Amino acid sequence: MSHKDSRFAHKSGVLAIAIVLALAGLAPWMAYGQDRAAQSSESVVSGTVEVGNRWRWLSGNEDLYRSTVNLGRGPKLNSFLMNFQSSETSKPALFDRATFSGGGWGGEPAGTLRFSGVKSDRYEFQVNYRHFDYFSSIPSFANPTDARSGNTQSTFDVSRQLFDARLTFWPTRAVSPYVGFDYDRTNGPARTNFVQDANEYSVATNVDNSTAAVRGGIGLQFSRWSGGFEIGRSTFRDDQSIDVRGTNLGNRATLFLGQRLQLEALSQAYKISGRDIFSRTFMMARPWQQLTVHGQFLYSRPTSESIYVDQGSGTFVLQNTLETFTGEQTFSRAQARNPHPSGSAGAELQLGDRLRIVETISTDRFSVNGNGDTNQSFTLSSRTVKQTYDELLKADFTRQRLNVTFDLTSFSSIHAGHTYLTASATSPGSDLAAPETRELHRNSADLGVMFRIRNRLRLNLDVEDERGNATFFRTDLRRFQRLSARGRYQVMEALQVGASASVWNNKNDAADTHFDERSREESVDVNYAPQSGKWFSVFASYTRGTFRSDLPFIVPQNFQTDRSIYSDRGHTGSLWVNINPLPRLQVQVGGDAFVSTPASEGTTQARPTRFYNPRSRLALNVIRDASFVTEWKWHEYSNRSFARENYRAHLLMTGVEYRW
Amino acid sequence: MIGIALIMWILSLGSPAEPGAARRAAPQAIGPEVCATCHEDLTNAFKANVHAKSCETCHGAAQEHAESADIAKIRSFKVLAPARSAAVCLACHEKDKTHSNRLFDAHSKNNVSCDSCHSVHKGAQRTSLLAKPTNELCASCHASERAHFNRPFSHKLAGGMMDCVSCHAPHGGSPSLKIQMAASHANNVACLNCHGDKRGPFAFEHMPVKVEGCSGCHEPHGSANPRMLIRSEVRQLCLECHTNSKTAFGKTPPAFHDLRSERFRNCTTCHIKIHGSHTNPAFLR
């Protein structure tokens, strides 16, 4: 897997730092200019910028490090924030207040740039840009014994960019039109598999897809009702391509009918284009003081068209006829439509000061109709495979809910609710099964109490019971119970304690299923900050989660019944100590740790993992507006089942934080 | 009759939320300058606040309180029942677009009041007047979700790339989505805002993706599985549904899938287009 060019990351880091430092240098002058222009003005330009350099020492599996942490070396622009706030007397042309912020530049895996500007009572403009590098290369996730290809299957090293802009106008208090634009793109190298009968070949591919959407709408606010609508359109494209030459022995370690199956060359192209129109209309009214009514309708209608072409050569086999051949060509065209209306309506009735009744109904209906044809032909064989298909997936959900809340006292309330769900779904069928339709009805009841004594104590207790006559999938909820409690207590001004616990179980006792699933999670945290943390504060938390599921399944190769038992116990702890021993010195020490083990011994189907992340940070205020900052991090990952994926990384970063 | 009697009794109870306030004679407004004589720190901090109109807009007329300095003589949000507290905020904010799904809001159902998250006098963040930065704020109640993000494979919250509200709608999500989820393109899940290539529609849809949603197979907050799956091994997840069943969708794969071989343990090694394919009903390409 190719790694990103570190020289490029280094240059981009230096460039980002230079630009932001130049802006930071200009900022005080800008503020001074504002003051002069407005005479008695109190316009404020303020901000912070933090830059630094990171060193890294890594031992172990670098691909796993990049798949989980991926922080790089070199100069970095960690973060910056610039605020502009005009005075009441000055009249700036574009914005009364604006914020420009960002961070994570210089080859970091995630970077942002954000701008938000407001002209009071006129408009608001927001722009966000985010990028992140998404790397994954984990041998144990694919075929861990596949060492012959020299590459990990199912790997990618892609970059994802997301951009969105939105402009909202306020011509009057009652009407607020807006327009927006969103764009995202994912591209980069990856590895995928070219699958043939009896073997599959890991090949390099190129991922490149993007979505662009424009939207516009209007918000309406009047004395007794409000509402609005939005309409938008999006386009999507996905161009994947493969072009490889050279012998590839694939994933099969043994001969097939005395022959070695192999790929010699492959050209593959996937061209997908899509369009979508989407809209939303909503309305809320309060005809009387005690009654609120709500209505909403949403609709989207994405469509897609695709052309797929591949041409492969090598030694292949058709498994059902046991014919061998030396090349194959596939041409496929398809299109799909997905009309998707959803709607909801509800009413809230306030009876006196204590009783609130909310009745809602919502529906969600969609279908996906896909059709097209595929032609596959084989060299040295007269055989061709032609398929024409017309698939339909359909699902309808309707949910009705009644919820009653009663305030027992000013510090306690009780709520109870009932939900009824009716749904039907039709499967599109496949090579393995004919289309079929299933229906289900499900009832759920819940009860909860809440205590809140000033801001000192908050306590929630909830219980839920859900029962249905059927499920769509074997692992769905059928007989489900949940009990949860959550509390937070301010023991004294400086000390706060929080705790939460939940337990749930689900049983699907249908004749051929017998699915049993249980989960328990407990969490406790303590926050101690005497004198509002002026000199010293501590935060500690611990969470333990246990999950176990047990489900019989049919083993494909012998049609015997076996059990899929999955159990996992995760311990997560965090400890943070903040010390400010001197007015100019801030020290933070702590970290997070995660340990996962099978919840019951003898269970092999778990992924015993340890992930430690201790770190410390020191900030020394060297002059009035600048601090020297240094940060140390340690990341350690270990997987007991696949020790070759383990790694340890030390990261040291030093830099400067400047405020103006 | 019992129902009518119950309703009459409830209506006769009056407000439990504002002790001592209900039976007062109509008090007079005094203006923010008078409030500032005692609450100087609050009123100074309040000047740059978007709510900086008048203290009495939210706290009610304060004449009696100013004369007696008695906290019971003014609407104090510290002692107000959550529903009453929310009602004050909603008097203005009910019509905001962000509250258009309020009746489906789990926070509202559980009586989480507005001031649990928003610090109205002076928020730590410039927008939305949040009491703390978003992720920290959500984690203060949802501690176990915070813990999930410390697992090795998780959505990256650090660095401001995304936060809880990138995916969740804290004031109530559209009911057609999973509870409290934000939306993408009207009625699609927020996951598709970033993972646009999974949107489809595909000529061959993998049914649970459309019917169950992403969380049918994925643990979005964080997991020990490299693809954030809800099981540690892919085959485990797939075979739980892909077993001949008279009571649910899903069929057993053909017999050449030899689970004793490492080659067949990760189904997505071959079924690479598992979210949906335009060319192959078995999601092979």
Side-chain angles (χ1 to χ4, degrees):
Chain A
M1 201 71 215
S2 67
H3 286 196
K4 298 273 182 200
D5 187 349
S6 61
R7 283 175 302 174
F8 174 75
H10 183 91
K11 282 180 185 172
S12 68
V14 171
L15 184 65
I17 290 169
I19 291 171
V20 172
L21 286 180
L23 286 170
L26 285 172
W29 178 83
M30 287 161 63
Y32 178 67
Q34 289 290 340
D35 285 350
R36 288 209 327 170
Q39 297 296 325
S40 61
S41 162
E42 291 180 9
S43 294
V44 178
V45 177
S46 62
T48 62
V49 59
E50 188 184 324
V51 297
N53 193 76
R54 184 184 294 128
W55 293 268
R56 192 187 77 193
W57 296 270
L58 177 74
S59 63
N61 191 316
E62 185 176 2
D63 279 354
L64 255 290
Y65 170 78
R66 294 194 66 209
S67 301
T68 49
V69 181
N70 208 11
L71 293 171
R73 290 172 286 204
K76 310 288 174 193
L77 169 59
N78 289 338
S79 64
F80 70 92
L81 170 70
M82 295 182 207
N83 286 318
F84 167 72
Q85 173 80 49
S86 73
S87 70
E88 288 179 6
T89 51
S90 65
K91 291 185 177 173
L94 281 175
F95 302 111
D96 296 334
R97 57 180 193 275
T99 303
F100 182 41
S101 64
W105 291 91
E108 291 289 72
T112 58
L113 272 181
R114 299 177 195 277
F115 175 81
S116 168
V118 176
K119 180 84 171 171
S120 295
D121 299 327
R122 296 275 184 85
Y123 54 81
E124 180 178 16
F125 181 55
Q126 291 177 316
V127 183
N128 296 303
Y129 171 78
R130 297 173 289 161
H131 81 87
F132 60 98
D133 296 333
Y134 189 16
F135 180 89
S136 179
S137 177
I138 300 165
S140 67
F141 180 71
N143 177 358
T145 61
D146 176 38
R148 293 186 304 164
S149 65
N151 290 291
T152 303
Q153 300 164 338
S154 191
T155 297
F156 42 84
D157 186 7
V158 297
S159 173
R160 184 167 284 161
Q161 294 105 33
L162 300 116
F163 171 85
D164 63 86
R166 187 183 170 101
L167 180 60
T168 307
F169 297 95
W170 299 306
T172 69
R173 286 186 179 278
V175 180
S176 56
Y178 63 91
V179 290
F181 175 71
D182 309 322
Y183 177 78
D184 71 76
R185 183 182 181 200
T186 303
N187 66 322
R191 289 198 78 82
T192 186
N193 275 329
F194 177 61
V195 181
Q196 285 289 311
D197 280 9
N199 205 352
E200 53 279 344
Y201 307 91
S202 173
V203 290
T205 184
N206 186 47
V207 173
D208 190 0
N209 63 68
S210 64
T211 307
V214 289
R215 63 182 75 211
I218 193 163
L220 302 166
Q221 291 192 10
F222 296 96
S223 60
R224 287 198 176 272
W225 69 277
S226 64
F229 69 86
E230 178 183 276
I231 188 163
R233 183 177 191 278
S234 75
T235 56
F236 170 74
R237 63 156 195 91
D238 190 349
D239 301 327
Q240 298 170 42
S241 60
I242 295 173
D243 194 5
V244 291
R245 298 277 181 276
T247 303
N248 185 332
L249 297 176
N251 204 7
R252 185 187 185 91
T254 55
L255 300 179
F256 185 85
L257 297 177
Q259 292 217 53
R260 183 176 297 283
L261 302 179
Q262 60 191 43
L263 174 73
E264 295 293 345
L266 174 67
S267 296
Q268 190 185 65
Y270 222 145
K271 293 273 181 195
I272 305 160
S273 61
R275 286 171 298 284
D276 185 11
I277 56 163
F278 53 93
S279 60
R280 176 184 177 221
T281 308
F282 64 94
M283 194 274 291
M284 190 152 57
R286 193 182 274 269
W288 301 286
Q289 190 58 33
Q290 293 80 13
L291 179 68
T292 304
V293 292
H294 157 98
Q296 178 174 242
F297 179 73
L298 306 105
Y299 182 72
S300 62
R301 197 190 63 197
T303 60
S304 67
E305 292 171 355
S306 70
I307 294 176
Y308 171 84
V309 182
D310 77 40
Q311 184 164 15
S313 63
T315 307
F316 307 129
V317 65
L318 279 173
Q319 206 161 10
N320 54 353
T321 60
L322 301 181
E323 283 181 274
T324 56
F325 58 97
T326 57
E328 70 93 45
Q329 299 84 41
T330 305
F331 179 77
S332 174
R333 281 183 309 195
Q335 53 189 354
R337 295 186 306 275
N338 176 204
H340 185 177
S342 313
S344 62
E348 179 185 51
L349 184 62
Q350 186 83 41
L351 287 172
D353 287 322
R354 289 173 181 258
L355 185 64
R356 188 162 63 105
I357 301 170
V358 178
E359 168 75 26
T360 58
I361 184 165
S362 62
T363 185
D364 189 34
R365 291 155 189 269
F366 62 84
S367 64
V368 184
N369 181 211
N371 57 67
D373 53 75
T374 298
N375 283 283
Q376 194 174 19
S377 57
F378 306 96
T379 311
L380 299 181
S381 165
S382 56
R383 187 178 297 276
T384 58
V385 176
K386 290 190 179 181
Q387 283 182 309
T388 303
Y389 47 87
D390 192 357
E391 303 268 321
L392 181 66
L393 162 70
K394 202 163 174 280
D396 295 341
F397 294 85
T398 301
R399 184 178 277 107
Q400 185 184 7
R401 177 167 173 82
L402 173 69
N403 191 70
V404 180
T405 306
F406 183 68
D407 289 338
L408 295 166
T409 65
S410 64
F411 56 84
S412 63
S413 69
I414 184 168
H415 67 86
H418 172 258
T419 305
Y420 172 67
L421 169 76
T422 177
S424 71
T426 304
S427 74
S430 68
D431 283 355
L432 301 172
E436 54 182 325
T437 299
R438 296 187 181 279
E439 288 186 7
L440 63 83
H441 306 276
R442 199 181 286 165
N443 283 284
S444 159
D446 60 86
L447 183 68
V449 291
M450 187 281 300
F451 296 93
R452 179 178 126 154
I453 302 177
R454 295 200 168 212
N455 286 333
R456 290 190 73 102
L457 174 69
R458 185 194 304 269
L459 188 64
N460 285 74
L461 294 167
D462 291 276
V463 59
E464 184 180 351
D465 187 277
E466 188 168 335
R467 278 152 204 262
N469 69 327
T471 61
F472 287 150
F473 304 100
R474 299 171 84 224
T475 51
D476 283 352
L477 303 185
R478 178 135 183 198
R479 290 176 58 204
F480 173 78
Q481 292 91 33
R482 175 165 53 193
L483 179 66
S484 64
R486 178 176 290 152
R488 186 155 295 280
Y489 181 49
Q490 187 90 39
V491 183
M492 57 177 89
E493 183 69 27
L495 181 63
Q496 193 180 71
V497 180
S500 65
S502 72
V503 56
W504 59 260
N505 68 71
N506 176 41
K507 270 186 195 294
N508 183 351
D509 51 7
D512 56 1
T513 303
H514 299 294
F515 178 46
D516 191 357
E517 179 179 40
R518 277 170 285 163
S519 170
R520 246 178 65 181
E521 206 150 42
E522 300 96 21
S523 186
V524 61
D525 64 77
V526 179
N527 201 339
Y528 180 59
Q531 295 181 281
S532 302
K534 188 179 177 186
W535 303 107
F536 170 76
S537 67
V538 181
F539 170 78
S541 75
Y542 170 73
T543 300
R544 187 180 74 161
T546 306
F547 180 83
R548 182 184 162 86
S549 76
D550 186 350
L551 179 63
F553 70 98
I554 296 170
V555 180
Q557 72 264 23
N558 56 17
F559 289 95
Q560 299 293 307
T561 301
D562 201 348
R563 287 166 72 195
S564 170
I565 302 172
Y566 173 62
S567 74
D568 189 51
R569 177 172 291 145
H571 304 265
T572 310
S574 296
L575 176 68
W576 287 104
V577 181
N578 292 293
I579 309 164
N580 307 324
L582 301 169
R584 286 168 175 263
L585 181 64
Q586 293 174 310
V587 181
Q588 189 181 49
V589 183
D592 308 306
F594 167 71
V595 177
S596 154
T597 58
S600 29
E601 282 307 317
T603 308
T604 54
Q605 293 171 344
R607 203 177 176 91
T609 307
R610 290 166 191 261
F611 190 54
Y612 301 132
N613 181 18
R615 48 196 191 269
S616 63
R617 182 183 163 96
L618 181 147
L620 178 65
N621 205 188
V622 283
I623 56 172
R624 192 172 65 100
D625 296 326
S627 297
F628 167 77
V629 178
T630 187
E631 188 178 74
W632 168 80
K633 288 183 179 180
W634 178 30
H635 295 278
E636 179 178 343
Y637 173 90
S638 65
N639 181 340
R640 213 166 65 195
S641 305
F642 300 98
R644 68 182 164 124
E645 295 185 350
N646 299 354
Y647 71 80
R648 285 180 184 181
H650 291 266
L651 306 172
L652 181 67
M653 182 152 205
T654 58
V656 177
E657 184 186 6
Y658 175 61
R659 300 172 292 277
W660 67 89
Chain B
M1 286 299 289
I2 293 170
I4 293 169
L6 186 64
I7 290 170
M8 295 299 288
W9 172 70
I10 289 164
L11 293 173
S12 71
L13 286 171
S15 169
E18 295 184 71
R23 287 154 188 84
R24 292 197 300 267
Q28 299 294 310
I30 54 173
E33 298 77 15
V34 181
C35 303
T37 55
C38 293
H39 303 286
E40 189 183 358
D41 52 340
L42 282 177
T43 46
N44 284 341
F46 204 46
K47 279 177 184 167
N49 190 294
V50 69
H51 288 109
K53 292 182 175 66
S54 166
C55 310
E56 291 162 296
T57 307
C58 299
H59 289 285
Q63 186 188 30
E64 282 187 57
H65 170 69
E67 288 168 359
S68 64
D70 181 357
I71 194 171
K73 305 279 186 184
I74 195 164
R75 184 187 290 146
S76 168
F77 287 82
K78 287 178 183 170
V79 296
L80 213 53
R84 296 283 299 169
S85 166
V88 176
C89 304
L90 288 171
C92 294
H93 290 286
E94 187 175 38
K95 296 165 192 163
D96 292 354
K97 272 203 298 290
T98 48
H99 292 101
S100 60
N101 284 308
R102 184 176 65 83
L103 300 188
F104 302 92
D105 177 23
H107 283 145
S108 170
K109 187 189 92 175
N110 287 304
N111 260 348
V112 177
S113 60
C114 309
D115 62 347
S116 300
C117 302
H118 298 278
S119 174
V120 176
H121 292 137
K122 189 184 180 186
Q125 295 205 325
R126 296 179 66 80
T127 55
S128 309
L129 298 178
L130 294 177
K132 296 175 187 172
T134 309
N135 299 337
E136 206 180 311
L137 185 66
C138 300
S140 62
C141 288
H142 300 278
S144 56
E145 281 75 13
R146 172 181 55 200
H148 287 188
F149 283 99
N150 288 325
R151 295 179 176 190
F153 303 97
S154 63
H155 276 111
K156 305 300 181 200
L157 294 185
M161 180 67 201
M162 62 189 300
D163 53 28
C164 305
V165 297
S166 302
C167 304
H168 294 282
H171 299 119
S174 178
S176 61
L177 308 171
K178 295 287 179 189
I179 194 160
Q180 301 292 92
M181 284 294 286
S184 155
H185 294 194
N187 52 6
N188 293 296
V189 288
C191 313
L192 299 173
N193 276 330
C194 295
H195 302 276
D197 56 319
K198 311 291 188 296
R199 185 189 304 269
F202 299 101
F204 299 100
E205 293 279 356
H206 192 195
M207 193 176 182
V209 179
K210 275 279 188 279
V211 176
E212 297 281 278
C214 308
S215 59
C217 298
H218 293 280
E219 164 49 76
H221 295 139
S223 168
N225 181 287
R227 295 291 188 275
M228 290 195 261
L229 297 176
I230 57 173
R231 301 286 186 268
S232 59
E233 289 185 25
V234 181
R235 62 170 175 151
Q236 219 167 4
L237 182 65
C238 301
L239 288 170
E240 287 185 357
C241 287
H242 284 281
T243 284
N244 290 332
S245 172
K246 291 175 185 164
T247 57
F249 293 119
K251 298 296 174 200
T252 304
F256 68 81
H257 292 85
D258 182 0
L259 296 186
R260 293 164 299 187
S261 164
E262 296 277 12
R263 196 179 140 212
F264 292 99
R265 292 202 168 180
N266 181 345
C267 310
T268 53
T269 299
C270 293
H271 301 276
I272 50 177
K273 300 287 182 188
I274 198 62
H275 297 103
S277 169
H278 291 278
T279 64
N280 191 285
F283 315 118
L284 296 175
R285 56 187 70 172

